[in-house]
Amino acid sequence: MSTSSNERSSPAALELIDVVKQYPGHPPVRALDSVSLRIDRGELVAIVGPSGSGKSTMLHVMGTLDRPTSGRVEIDGIELSQLSDRRLAAARARLIGFVFQQFFLLEGVTAVENVANGLLYSGASKSKRLGRAVTALSRVGLSHRLHHRPSALSGGERQRVAIARALVHDPAIILADEPTGNLDSTSSASVMELLFDLHREGRTIVVITHDRDMAAALPRQVAVRDGQLVVPDAALVGGGVR
Amino acid sequence: MSRQRKKPAAVSSPAPEESRRAGGRNLPPSRLGPLAVVGVASDGLRGRKLRTALSALGITIGIAAMVGVLGLSESSRADLQAQIAALGTNLLTVEPSSGFGGGDGALPAETAAKIGRIGPVDLVADTVTLDEAPRRNDLVSENETKGVTVVAADIDLLDTLKASVADGVWLDEATSAYQNVVLGSVAADRYGVTGLDDGAQLRIGDEWFTIIGVLDEFPLSEDLDRSVFIGKDAAASTFDVELNPSTIFVRTDPDQIDAVRGVLSSTADPESPDEVSISRPSDALEAQAAADNAFTALFLGLGAVALLVGGIGIANVMVIAVIERRNEIGLRRALGATRAHIRRQFLTEALLLSAIGGAAGVGLGVAVTYLYANYEGWTVVIPNVAIFGGFGAAIAIGAVAGLYPATRAARLAPTEALRA
Ligand SMILES: Nc1ncnc2c1ncn2[C@@H]1O[C@H](COP(=O)(O)OP(=O)(O)OP(=O)(O)O)[C@@H](O)[C@H]1O
Ligand SMILES: [Mg+2]
């Protein structure tokens, strides 16, 4: 339970402690079943598992988009499961960056404005938001696409815009749900390359993926099955075992 | 508590906010300032311009109808009131009418004099329409009279009708006995008479008449504007006619007008008073004003219906927007928006829509009022209540129409909204 956070000198980037997520129904669905997981700062973690195993549910609970039925969620040492809705929104605005399979860029506005939206709810002024958005876009290699609409960008470029939006507010952790799920292999590779770069810069990143080869390339894998963590298979996992 | 990042030199993102890490436990709340709300809402509208325009159009039409109706009715009322003031409410007209007795439809020549002896009558003047065609010169055939009639007029006509001379003089005791003529404003236009210095003449019957004056427009008497006036003595001596009055104008003491009206017909024609028709010209204007009011109410009602339909259109578009933009709502929640931020965004969108529609509607209503009032020759009067009330009504409708969709958007759970 709370013992794990005392084992280390500094708090984890993210910690799930005995997290249960149960959806009501007949019978109720236990999408997460007593999951405990610690992710340290600077880690790049793959979450793998078959469809319906609870990966997205886990990411939503990590990102406070959904509350666990029981258990604790901590980001950057802040206990989140008891916070009010408004405080959770604040946590998302400041601590978490999301990347989605469908990109979710706003069609009506340009790339730089989409990225600036990552700072929208932090209360920064418009010029500050845009300035940091430009920096973030050049970080993902898109300084030549600042004023393009999403419809004028390739799939890979769109996802890189979405990644820029996820890091523009300097979050404690970036959560990506199948970021390459809608991309061809070349674009996938460039997006993964970008995630590796960000990891090398010290970012903490969690990536859900279906792709076993891609997962194997990441420093650490967490396998999920039927809502529970699977003890990693030594043959599959490289150096990331804990 | 510094982060264990191994940052290379080329790191582009700013340094972590130390306050967040250090104190750590107090997260500053999510914020979305008023300016940012408007920005977000207008982004939403910019993304779907056609739909924005169409749904604002409903409000525009409703508001334009209301502003236009109020503006036009005020302008026309102001015009009618000016006409009534110019005409005076104490003017009566007496005309012969062929009643059921089958009379000859003529009033005796001395009728005006008899009416003048009624106590409260201040002024009286009669006109006799002659069956003559005035011509500018000999070469023109008699058929070409340009719709102008010759009227033998009492010298008191101008004072009785509160009319005025534009150029030259009106008939007096001396000039009305000879071949002199004064032109009504429209008649002067038709004959192309601009000045009087050249001693211009007009041929009436077989005689030349000297033009000695041109009149301004009569208040509410276009027939007289199309006439040329000669003295009654001149008419009697030049043409072989009985001077039976066609119309007698009576100006009375304003307090006694009903009393005068009661005795006018028996004074004018004691034997057959029902062959005399008495009217009060200002009554016609007041009836017109009353009829305008009825129309105003009708059109205001139609405008209100258009506005209601416009409001429903906005509500409809917003409900659809919330359904279609589920993903955007989920994304914004993921970016840190609170429920209140989402509600405010959609409410502001509805308000912007209705404000755009309302402003366009006020503009259109004012423009229509200007164009139509100018065409009618009215002074433009647009009541403030129409402008501010119209815009306010649009805003209120936007608020009501946006409330339900905005609340629905805010209630959406983030995970549900993010589902593809
Ligand atoms: N809102 C919900 N209500 C009921 N059951 C749900 C709900 N959301 C998810 N589930 C169930 O929870 C389980 C885990 O779902 P989840 O979306 O986390 O799977 P996943 O691992 O992300 O799958 P995939 O790889 O297909 O995306 C599934 O059985 C799913 O049907
Ligand atoms: Mg999933």
mmCIF file with all atom_site columns, all heavy atoms in Angstrom, chain B residues 4 50 74 83 89 134 143 163 165 181 203 205 226 255 269 300 325 352 370 373 390 395 404 419:
data_model
loop_
_atom_site.group_PDB
_atom_site.id
_atom_site.type_symbol
_atom_site.label_atom_id
_atom_site.label_alt_id
_atom_site.label_comp_id
_atom_site.label_asym_id
_atom_site.label_entity_id
_atom_site.label_seq_id
_atom_site.pdbx_PDB_ins_code
_atom_site.Cartn_x
_atom_site.Cartn_y
_atom_site.Cartn_z
_atom_site.occupancy
_atom_site.B_iso_or_equiv
_atom_site.pdbx_formal_charge
_atom_site.auth_seq_id
_atom_site.auth_comp_id
_atom_site.auth_asym_id
_atom_site.auth_atom_id
_atom_site.pdbx_PDB_model_num
ATOM 1   N N   . GLN B 1 4   ? 14.630  14.200 -11.437 1.00 0.00 ? 4   GLN B N   1
ATOM 2   C CA  . GLN B 1 4   ? 15.852  13.504 -11.843 1.00 0.00 ? 4   GLN B CA  1
ATOM 3   C C   . GLN B 1 4   ? 15.968  13.483 -13.354 1.00 0.00 ? 4   GLN B C   1
ATOM 4   O O   . GLN B 1 4   ? 16.156  12.438 -13.955 1.00 0.00 ? 4   GLN B O   1
ATOM 5   C CB  . GLN B 1 4   ? 15.818  12.070 -11.300 1.00 0.00 ? 4   GLN B CB  1
ATOM 6   C CG  . GLN B 1 4   ? 15.652  12.049 -9.803  1.00 0.00 ? 4   GLN B CG  1
ATOM 7   C CD  . GLN B 1 4   ? 15.246  10.682 -9.298  1.00 0.00 ? 4   GLN B CD  1
ATOM 8   O OE1 . GLN B 1 4   ? 14.586  9.919  -9.994  1.00 0.00 ? 4   GLN B OE1 1
ATOM 9   N NE2 . GLN B 1 4   ? 15.626  10.354 -8.083  1.00 0.00 ? 4   GLN B NE2 1
ATOM 10  N N   . LEU B 1 50  ? -20.663 28.220 -41.839 1.00 0.00 ? 50  LEU B N   1
ATOM 11  C CA  . LEU B 1 50  ? -21.960 28.182 -42.517 1.00 0.00 ? 50  LEU B CA  1
ATOM 12  C C   . LEU B 1 50  ? -23.065 27.972 -41.500 1.00 0.00 ? 50  LEU B C   1
ATOM 13  O O   . LEU B 1 50  ? -24.084 28.661 -41.502 1.00 0.00 ? 50  LEU B O   1
ATOM 14  C CB  . LEU B 1 50  ? -21.970 27.062 -43.561 1.00 0.00 ? 50  LEU B CB  1
ATOM 15  C CG  . LEU B 1 50  ? -23.294 26.960 -44.317 1.00 0.00 ? 50  LEU B CG  1
ATOM 16  C CD1 . LEU B 1 50  ? -23.540 28.217 -45.128 1.00 0.00 ? 50  LEU B CD1 1
ATOM 17  C CD2 . LEU B 1 50  ? -23.312 25.728 -45.207 1.00 0.00 ? 50  LEU B CD2 1
ATOM 18  N N   . GLU B 1 74  ? -42.843 54.269 -35.764 1.00 0.00 ? 74  GLU B N   1
ATOM 19  C CA  . GLU B 1 74  ? -42.540 55.544 -35.096 1.00 0.00 ? 74  GLU B CA  1
ATOM 20  C C   . GLU B 1 74  ? -42.353 56.653 -36.123 1.00 0.00 ? 74  GLU B C   1
ATOM 21  O O   . GLU B 1 74  ? -42.834 57.762 -35.949 1.00 0.00 ? 74  GLU B O   1
ATOM 22  C CB  . GLU B 1 74  ? -41.269 55.415 -34.256 1.00 0.00 ? 74  GLU B CB  1
ATOM 23  C CG  . GLU B 1 74  ? -41.491 54.904 -32.859 1.00 0.00 ? 74  GLU B CG  1
ATOM 24  C CD  . GLU B 1 74  ? -42.573 55.664 -32.104 1.00 0.00 ? 74  GLU B CD  1
ATOM 25  O OE1 . GLU B 1 74  ? -42.421 56.887 -31.918 1.00 0.00 ? 74  GLU B OE1 1
ATOM 26  O OE2 . GLU B 1 74  ? -43.581 55.047 -31.722 1.00 0.00 ? 74  GLU B OE2 1
ATOM 27  N N   . GLN B 1 83  ? -48.108 66.171 -39.855 1.00 0.00 ? 83  GLN B N   1
ATOM 28  C CA  . GLN B 1 83  ? -49.169 66.572 -40.793 1.00 0.00 ? 83  GLN B CA  1
ATOM 29  C C   . GLN B 1 83  ? -50.387 67.092 -40.058 1.00 0.00 ? 83  GLN B C   1
ATOM 30  O O   . GLN B 1 83  ? -51.006 68.078 -40.454 1.00 0.00 ? 83  GLN B O   1
ATOM 31  C CB  . GLN B 1 83  ? -49.580 65.374 -41.645 1.00 0.00 ? 83  GLN B CB  1
ATOM 32  C CG  . GLN B 1 83  ? -48.601 65.030 -42.743 1.00 0.00 ? 83  GLN B CG  1
ATOM 33  C CD  . GLN B 1 83  ? -49.199 63.988 -43.670 1.00 0.00 ? 83  GLN B CD  1
ATOM 34  O OE1 . GLN B 1 83  ? -50.322 64.133 -44.130 1.00 0.00 ? 83  GLN B OE1 1
ATOM 35  N NE2 . GLN B 1 83  ? -48.450 62.937 -43.921 1.00 0.00 ? 83  GLN B NE2 1
ATOM 36  N N   . THR B 1 89  ? -56.504 70.507 -36.129 1.00 0.00 ? 89  THR B N   1
ATOM 37  C CA  . THR B 1 89  ? -57.659 69.614 -35.969 1.00 0.00 ? 89  THR B CA  1
ATOM 38  C C   . THR B 1 89  ? -58.958 70.396 -36.023 1.00 0.00 ? 89  THR B C   1
ATOM 39  O O   . THR B 1 89  ? -60.034 69.837 -35.871 1.00 0.00 ? 89  THR B O   1
ATOM 40  C CB  . THR B 1 89  ? -57.575 68.874 -34.631 1.00 0.00 ? 89  THR B CB  1
ATOM 41  O OG1 . THR B 1 89  ? -57.389 69.833 -33.596 1.00 0.00 ? 89  THR B OG1 1
ATOM 42  C CG2 . THR B 1 89  ? -56.421 67.885 -34.624 1.00 0.00 ? 89  THR B CG2 1
ATOM 43  N N   . PRO B 1 134 ? -56.268 74.960 -68.541 1.00 0.00 ? 134 PRO B N   1
ATOM 44  C CA  . PRO B 1 134 ? -55.226 75.977 -68.690 1.00 0.00 ? 134 PRO B CA  1
ATOM 45  C C   . PRO B 1 134 ? -54.118 75.471 -69.614 1.00 0.00 ? 134 PRO B C   1
ATOM 46  O O   . PRO B 1 134 ? -53.762 74.301 -69.578 1.00 0.00 ? 134 PRO B O   1
ATOM 47  C CB  . PRO B 1 134 ? -54.706 76.160 -67.269 1.00 0.00 ? 134 PRO B CB  1
ATOM 48  C CG  . PRO B 1 134 ? -55.088 74.914 -66.548 1.00 0.00 ? 134 PRO B CG  1
ATOM 49  C CD  . PRO B 1 134 ? -56.184 74.242 -67.279 1.00 0.00 ? 134 PRO B CD  1
ATOM 50  N N   . ASN B 1 143 ? -56.779 69.647 -75.087 1.00 0.00 ? 143 ASN B N   1
ATOM 51  C CA  . ASN B 1 143 ? -56.775 68.352 -74.408 1.00 0.00 ? 143 ASN B CA  1
ATOM 52  C C   . ASN B 1 143 ? -55.584 68.201 -73.459 1.00 0.00 ? 143 ASN B C   1
ATOM 53  O O   . ASN B 1 143 ? -55.634 67.486 -72.481 1.00 0.00 ? 143 ASN B O   1
ATOM 54  C CB  . ASN B 1 143 ? -56.719 67.223 -75.434 1.00 0.00 ? 143 ASN B CB  1
ATOM 55  C CG  . ASN B 1 143 ? -57.940 67.240 -76.318 1.00 0.00 ? 143 ASN B CG  1
ATOM 56  O OD1 . ASN B 1 143 ? -58.968 67.792 -75.927 1.00 0.00 ? 143 ASN B OD1 1
ATOM 57  N ND2 . ASN B 1 143 ? -57.827 66.670 -77.505 1.00 0.00 ? 143 ASN B ND2 1
ATOM 58  N N   . ALA B 1 163 ? -51.864 77.601 -45.673 1.00 0.00 ? 163 ALA B N   1
ATOM 59  C CA  . ALA B 1 163 ? -50.919 77.377 -46.771 1.00 0.00 ? 163 ALA B CA  1
ATOM 60  C C   . ALA B 1 163 ? -50.077 78.636 -46.947 1.00 0.00 ? 163 ALA B C   1
ATOM 61  O O   . ALA B 1 163 ? -50.359 79.666 -46.349 1.00 0.00 ? 163 ALA B O   1
ATOM 62  C CB  . ALA B 1 163 ? -51.672 77.053 -48.050 1.00 0.00 ? 163 ALA B CB  1
ATOM 63  N N   . VAL B 1 165 ? -47.177 81.068 -49.652 1.00 0.00 ? 165 VAL B N   1
ATOM 64  C CA  . VAL B 1 165 ? -46.733 81.406 -51.003 1.00 0.00 ? 165 VAL B CA  1
ATOM 65  C C   . VAL B 1 165 ? -45.244 81.106 -51.119 1.00 0.00 ? 165 VAL B C   1
ATOM 66  O O   . VAL B 1 165 ? -44.462 81.478 -50.250 1.00 0.00 ? 165 VAL B O   1
ATOM 67  C CB  . VAL B 1 165 ? -46.992 82.904 -51.272 1.00 0.00 ? 165 VAL B CB  1
ATOM 68  C CG1 . VAL B 1 165 ? -46.421 83.305 -52.631 1.00 0.00 ? 165 VAL B CG1 1
ATOM 69  C CG2 . VAL B 1 165 ? -48.473 83.201 -51.209 1.00 0.00 ? 165 VAL B CG2 1
ATOM 70  N N   . VAL B 1 181 ? -53.406 84.795 -62.182 1.00 0.00 ? 181 VAL B N   1
ATOM 71  C CA  . VAL B 1 181 ? -53.497 83.396 -61.773 1.00 0.00 ? 181 VAL B CA  1
ATOM 72  C C   . VAL B 1 181 ? -52.328 83.057 -60.836 1.00 0.00 ? 181 VAL B C   1
ATOM 73  O O   . VAL B 1 181 ? -51.235 83.572 -60.983 1.00 0.00 ? 181 VAL B O   1
ATOM 74  C CB  . VAL B 1 181 ? -53.520 82.449 -63.003 1.00 0.00 ? 181 VAL B CB  1
ATOM 75  C CG1 . VAL B 1 181 ? -52.222 82.539 -63.790 1.00 0.00 ? 181 VAL B CG1 1
ATOM 76  C CG2 . VAL B 1 181 ? -53.796 81.008 -62.590 1.00 0.00 ? 181 VAL B CG2 1
ATOM 77  N N   . ARG B 1 203 ? -52.891 80.448 -70.547 1.00 0.00 ? 203 ARG B N   1
ATOM 78  C CA  . ARG B 1 203 ? -54.131 80.651 -71.293 1.00 0.00 ? 203 ARG B CA  1
ATOM 79  C C   . ARG B 1 203 ? -55.216 79.778 -70.689 1.00 0.00 ? 203 ARG B C   1
ATOM 80  O O   . ARG B 1 203 ? -55.078 78.567 -70.564 1.00 0.00 ? 203 ARG B O   1
ATOM 81  C CB  . ARG B 1 203 ? -53.900 80.296 -72.755 1.00 0.00 ? 203 ARG B CB  1
ATOM 82  C CG  . ARG B 1 203 ? -55.022 80.735 -73.671 1.00 0.00 ? 203 ARG B CG  1
ATOM 83  C CD  . ARG B 1 203 ? -54.516 80.799 -75.106 1.00 0.00 ? 203 ARG B CD  1
ATOM 84  N NE  . ARG B 1 203 ? -55.603 81.122 -76.041 1.00 0.00 ? 203 ARG B NE  1
ATOM 85  C CZ  . ARG B 1 203 ? -55.959 82.372 -76.325 1.00 0.00 ? 203 ARG B CZ  1
ATOM 86  N NH1 . ARG B 1 203 ? -55.328 83.398 -75.744 1.00 0.00 ? 203 ARG B NH1 1
ATOM 87  N NH2 . ARG B 1 203 ? -56.945 82.594 -77.198 1.00 0.00 ? 203 ARG B NH2 1
ATOM 88  N N   . GLY B 1 205 ? -59.266 79.070 -71.099 1.00 0.00 ? 205 GLY B N   1
ATOM 89  C CA  . GLY B 1 205 ? -60.356 79.360 -72.021 1.00 0.00 ? 205 GLY B CA  1
ATOM 90  C C   . GLY B 1 205 ? -59.808 80.174 -73.180 1.00 0.00 ? 205 GLY B C   1
ATOM 91  O O   . GLY B 1 205 ? -58.832 79.771 -73.808 1.00 0.00 ? 205 GLY B O   1
ATOM 92  N N   . ARG B 1 226 ? -52.444 70.535 -57.434 1.00 0.00 ? 226 ARG B N   1
ATOM 93  C CA  . ARG B 1 226 ? -52.529 70.337 -58.888 1.00 0.00 ? 226 ARG B CA  1
ATOM 94  C C   . ARG B 1 226 ? -53.417 71.373 -59.566 1.00 0.00 ? 226 ARG B C   1
ATOM 95  O O   . ARG B 1 226 ? -53.795 71.200 -60.708 1.00 0.00 ? 226 ARG B O   1
ATOM 96  C CB  . ARG B 1 226 ? -53.085 68.936 -59.179 1.00 0.00 ? 226 ARG B CB  1
ATOM 97  C CG  . ARG B 1 226 ? -52.041 67.831 -59.152 1.00 0.00 ? 226 ARG B CG  1
ATOM 98  C CD  . ARG B 1 226 ? -52.595 66.568 -59.769 1.00 0.00 ? 226 ARG B CD  1
ATOM 99  N NE  . ARG B 1 226 ? -53.821 66.126 -59.098 1.00 0.00 ? 226 ARG B NE  1
ATOM 100 C CZ  . ARG B 1 226 ? -53.822 65.293 -58.053 1.00 0.00 ? 226 ARG B CZ  1
ATOM 101 N NH1 . ARG B 1 226 ? -52.687 64.825 -57.587 1.00 0.00 ? 226 ARG B NH1 1
ATOM 102 N NH2 . ARG B 1 226 ? -54.956 64.948 -57.488 1.00 0.00 ? 226 ARG B NH2 1
ATOM 103 N N   . ASP B 1 255 ? -62.329 74.779 -29.540 1.00 0.00 ? 255 ASP B N   1
ATOM 104 C CA  . ASP B 1 255 ? -63.197 74.223 -28.497 1.00 0.00 ? 255 ASP B CA  1
ATOM 105 C C   . ASP B 1 255 ? -64.625 74.025 -28.978 1.00 0.00 ? 255 ASP B C   1
ATOM 106 O O   . ASP B 1 255 ? -65.401 73.318 -28.351 1.00 0.00 ? 255 ASP B O   1
ATOM 107 C CB  . ASP B 1 255 ? -63.203 75.150 -27.271 1.00 0.00 ? 255 ASP B CB  1
ATOM 108 C CG  . ASP B 1 255 ? -61.813 75.288 -26.682 1.00 0.00 ? 255 ASP B CG  1
ATOM 109 O OD1 . ASP B 1 255 ? -61.032 74.313 -26.812 1.00 0.00 ? 255 ASP B OD1 1
ATOM 110 O OD2 . ASP B 1 255 ? -61.497 76.363 -26.130 1.00 0.00 ? 255 ASP B OD2 1
ATOM 111 N N   . ASP B 1 269 ? -77.375 74.248 -46.336 1.00 0.00 ? 269 ASP B N   1
ATOM 112 C CA  . ASP B 1 269 ? -78.518 73.954 -47.193 1.00 0.00 ? 269 ASP B CA  1
ATOM 113 C C   . ASP B 1 269 ? -79.730 73.645 -46.317 1.00 0.00 ? 269 ASP B C   1
ATOM 114 O O   . ASP B 1 269 ? -80.014 72.494 -46.014 1.00 0.00 ? 269 ASP B O   1
ATOM 115 C CB  . ASP B 1 269 ? -78.183 72.754 -48.086 1.00 0.00 ? 269 ASP B CB  1
ATOM 116 C CG  . ASP B 1 269 ? -79.192 72.613 -49.225 1.00 0.00 ? 269 ASP B CG  1
ATOM 117 O OD1 . ASP B 1 269 ? -80.274 73.238 -49.131 1.00 0.00 ? 269 ASP B OD1 1
ATOM 118 O OD2 . ASP B 1 269 ? -78.889 71.884 -50.182 1.00 0.00 ? 269 ASP B OD2 1
ATOM 119 N N   . LEU B 1 300 ? -45.193 43.134 -35.031 1.00 0.00 ? 300 LEU B N   1
ATOM 120 C CA  . LEU B 1 300 ? -44.386 42.829 -33.850 1.00 0.00 ? 300 LEU B CA  1
ATOM 121 C C   . LEU B 1 300 ? -44.609 41.377 -33.442 1.00 0.00 ? 300 LEU B C   1
ATOM 122 O O   . LEU B 1 300 ? -43.668 40.670 -33.081 1.00 0.00 ? 300 LEU B O   1
ATOM 123 C CB  . LEU B 1 300 ? -44.758 43.750 -32.694 1.00 0.00 ? 300 LEU B CB  1
ATOM 124 C CG  . LEU B 1 300 ? -44.027 45.084 -32.648 1.00 0.00 ? 300 LEU B CG  1
ATOM 125 C CD1 . LEU B 1 300 ? -44.412 45.830 -31.384 1.00 0.00 ? 300 LEU B CD1 1
ATOM 126 C CD2 . LEU B 1 300 ? -42.524 44.879 -32.702 1.00 0.00 ? 300 LEU B CD2 1
ATOM 127 N N   . ARG B 1 325 ? -19.433 17.292 -30.848 1.00 0.00 ? 325 ARG B N   1
ATOM 128 C CA  . ARG B 1 325 ? -18.135 17.704 -30.328 1.00 0.00 ? 325 ARG B CA  1
ATOM 129 C C   . ARG B 1 325 ? -17.826 17.032 -29.000 1.00 0.00 ? 325 ARG B C   1
ATOM 130 O O   . ARG B 1 325 ? -17.104 17.577 -28.182 1.00 0.00 ? 325 ARG B O   1
ATOM 131 C CB  . ARG B 1 325 ? -18.106 19.227 -30.209 1.00 0.00 ? 325 ARG B CB  1
ATOM 132 C CG  . ARG B 1 325 ? -18.064 19.870 -31.600 1.00 0.00 ? 325 ARG B CG  1
ATOM 133 C CD  . ARG B 1 325 ? -18.565 21.256 -31.580 1.00 0.00 ? 325 ARG B CD  1
ATOM 134 N NE  . ARG B 1 325 ? -17.634 22.148 -30.882 1.00 0.00 ? 325 ARG B NE  1
ATOM 135 C CZ  . ARG B 1 325 ? -17.936 23.395 -30.561 1.00 0.00 ? 325 ARG B CZ  1
ATOM 136 N NH1 . ARG B 1 325 ? -19.107 23.877 -30.859 1.00 0.00 ? 325 ARG B NH1 1
ATOM 137 N NH2 . ARG B 1 325 ? -17.062 24.146 -29.933 1.00 0.00 ? 325 ARG B NH2 1
ATOM 138 N N   . LEU B 1 352 ? -22.699 34.339 -28.239 1.00 0.00 ? 352 LEU B N   1
ATOM 139 C CA  . LEU B 1 352 ? -22.045 34.979 -29.382 1.00 0.00 ? 352 LEU B CA  1
ATOM 140 C C   . LEU B 1 352 ? -22.913 34.859 -30.631 1.00 0.00 ? 352 LEU B C   1
ATOM 141 O O   . LEU B 1 352 ? -23.103 35.828 -31.365 1.00 0.00 ? 352 LEU B O   1
ATOM 142 C CB  . LEU B 1 352 ? -20.685 34.319 -29.653 1.00 0.00 ? 352 LEU B CB  1
ATOM 143 C CG  . LEU B 1 352 ? -19.480 34.877 -28.906 1.00 0.00 ? 352 LEU B CG  1
ATOM 144 C CD1 . LEU B 1 352 ? -18.223 34.139 -29.341 1.00 0.00 ? 352 LEU B CD1 1
ATOM 145 C CD2 . LEU B 1 352 ? -19.331 36.362 -29.173 1.00 0.00 ? 352 LEU B CD2 1
ATOM 146 N N   . TYR B 1 370 ? -34.404 53.291 -42.541 1.00 0.00 ? 370 TYR B N   1
ATOM 147 C CA  . TYR B 1 370 ? -33.863 54.458 -43.253 1.00 0.00 ? 370 TYR B CA  1
ATOM 148 C C   . TYR B 1 370 ? -34.328 54.487 -44.697 1.00 0.00 ? 370 TYR B C   1
ATOM 149 O O   . TYR B 1 370 ? -34.837 55.494 -45.188 1.00 0.00 ? 370 TYR B O   1
ATOM 150 C CB  . TYR B 1 370 ? -32.327 54.438 -43.219 1.00 0.00 ? 370 TYR B CB  1
ATOM 151 C CG  . TYR B 1 370 ? -31.766 55.338 -42.164 1.00 0.00 ? 370 TYR B CG  1
ATOM 152 C CD1 . TYR B 1 370 ? -31.512 54.859 -40.894 1.00 0.00 ? 370 TYR B CD1 1
ATOM 153 C CD2 . TYR B 1 370 ? -31.534 56.683 -42.434 1.00 0.00 ? 370 TYR B CD2 1
ATOM 154 C CE1 . TYR B 1 370 ? -31.025 55.683 -39.902 1.00 0.00 ? 370 TYR B CE1 1
ATOM 155 C CE2 . TYR B 1 370 ? -31.048 57.521 -41.452 1.00 0.00 ? 370 TYR B CE2 1
ATOM 156 C CZ  . TYR B 1 370 ? -30.788 57.014 -40.191 1.00 0.00 ? 370 TYR B CZ  1
ATOM 157 O OH  . TYR B 1 370 ? -30.316 57.836 -39.225 1.00 0.00 ? 370 TYR B OH  1
ATOM 158 N N   . ALA B 1 373 ? -38.229 54.982 -44.918 1.00 0.00 ? 373 ALA B N   1
ATOM 159 C CA  . ALA B 1 373 ? -38.657 56.300 -44.449 1.00 0.00 ? 373 ALA B CA  1
ATOM 160 C C   . ALA B 1 373 ? -38.217 57.379 -45.440 1.00 0.00 ? 373 ALA B C   1
ATOM 161 O O   . ALA B 1 373 ? -38.969 58.314 -45.732 1.00 0.00 ? 373 ALA B O   1
ATOM 162 C CB  . ALA B 1 373 ? -38.088 56.573 -43.062 1.00 0.00 ? 373 ALA B CB  1
ATOM 163 N N   . GLY B 1 390 ? -34.095 45.214 -28.833 1.00 0.00 ? 390 GLY B N   1
ATOM 164 C CA  . GLY B 1 390 ? -33.887 44.165 -29.830 1.00 0.00 ? 390 GLY B CA  1
ATOM 165 C C   . GLY B 1 390 ? -32.614 43.379 -29.546 1.00 0.00 ? 390 GLY B C   1
ATOM 166 O O   . GLY B 1 390 ? -32.623 42.146 -29.507 1.00 0.00 ? 390 GLY B O   1
ATOM 167 N N   . ILE B 1 395 ? -29.819 38.587 -26.955 1.00 0.00 ? 395 ILE B N   1
ATOM 168 C CA  . ILE B 1 395 ? -28.913 38.033 -25.938 1.00 0.00 ? 395 ILE B CA  1
ATOM 169 C C   . ILE B 1 395 ? -29.686 37.103 -25.004 1.00 0.00 ? 395 ILE B C   1
ATOM 170 O O   . ILE B 1 395 ? -29.231 35.996 -24.677 1.00 0.00 ? 395 ILE B O   1
ATOM 171 C CB  . ILE B 1 395 ? -28.261 39.177 -25.136 1.00 0.00 ? 395 ILE B CB  1
ATOM 172 C CG1 . ILE B 1 395 ? -27.407 40.038 -26.048 1.00 0.00 ? 395 ILE B CG1 1
ATOM 173 C CG2 . ILE B 1 395 ? -27.445 38.621 -23.978 1.00 0.00 ? 395 ILE B CG2 1
ATOM 174 C CD1 . ILE B 1 395 ? -26.148 39.389 -26.525 1.00 0.00 ? 395 ILE B CD1 1
ATOM 175 N N   . TYR B 1 404 ? -29.400 24.804 -21.722 1.00 0.00 ? 404 TYR B N   1
ATOM 176 C CA  . TYR B 1 404 ? -29.562 23.351 -21.658 1.00 0.00 ? 404 TYR B CA  1
ATOM 177 C C   . TYR B 1 404 ? -28.408 22.619 -22.353 1.00 0.00 ? 404 TYR B C   1
ATOM 178 O O   . TYR B 1 404 ? -27.791 21.736 -21.742 1.00 0.00 ? 404 TYR B O   1
ATOM 179 C CB  . TYR B 1 404 ? -30.915 22.946 -22.248 1.00 0.00 ? 404 TYR B CB  1
ATOM 180 C CG  . TYR B 1 404 ? -31.051 21.466 -22.446 1.00 0.00 ? 404 TYR B CG  1
ATOM 181 C CD1 . TYR B 1 404 ? -31.154 20.608 -21.359 1.00 0.00 ? 404 TYR B CD1 1
ATOM 182 C CD2 . TYR B 1 404 ? -31.033 20.911 -23.719 1.00 0.00 ? 404 TYR B CD2 1
ATOM 183 C CE1 . TYR B 1 404 ? -31.256 19.245 -21.534 1.00 0.00 ? 404 TYR B CE1 1
ATOM 184 C CE2 . TYR B 1 404 ? -31.129 19.552 -23.914 1.00 0.00 ? 404 TYR B CE2 1
ATOM 185 C CZ  . TYR B 1 404 ? -31.244 18.717 -22.815 1.00 0.00 ? 404 TYR B CZ  1
ATOM 186 O OH  . TYR B 1 404 ? -31.319 17.370 -23.007 1.00 0.00 ? 404 TYR B OH  1
ATOM 187 N N   . ARG B 1 419 ? -14.504 8.685  -25.797 1.00 0.00 ? 419 ARG B N   1
ATOM 188 C CA  . ARG B 1 419 ? -14.697 7.463  -26.564 1.00 0.00 ? 419 ARG B CA  1
ATOM 189 C C   . ARG B 1 419 ? -14.985 7.836  -28.020 1.00 0.00 ? 419 ARG B C   1
ATOM 190 O O   . ARG B 1 419 ? -15.798 8.715  -28.290 1.00 0.00 ? 419 ARG B O   1
ATOM 191 C CB  . ARG B 1 419 ? -15.879 6.670  -25.982 1.00 0.00 ? 419 ARG B CB  1
ATOM 192 C CG  . ARG B 1 419 ? -15.677 5.173  -26.124 1.00 0.00 ? 419 ARG B CG  1
ATOM 193 C CD  . ARG B 1 419 ? -16.662 4.428  -25.249 1.00 0.00 ? 419 ARG B CD  1
ATOM 194 N NE  . ARG B 1 419 ? -16.374 4.572  -23.826 1.00 0.00 ? 419 ARG B NE  1
ATOM 195 C CZ  . ARG B 1 419 ? -17.322 4.657  -22.892 1.00 0.00 ? 419 ARG B CZ  1
ATOM 196 N NH1 . ARG B 1 419 ? -18.588 4.655  -23.231 1.00 0.00 ? 419 ARG B NH1 1
ATOM 197 N NH2 . ARG B 1 419 ? -16.991 4.763  -21.627 1.00 0.00 ? 419 ARG B NH2 1
#
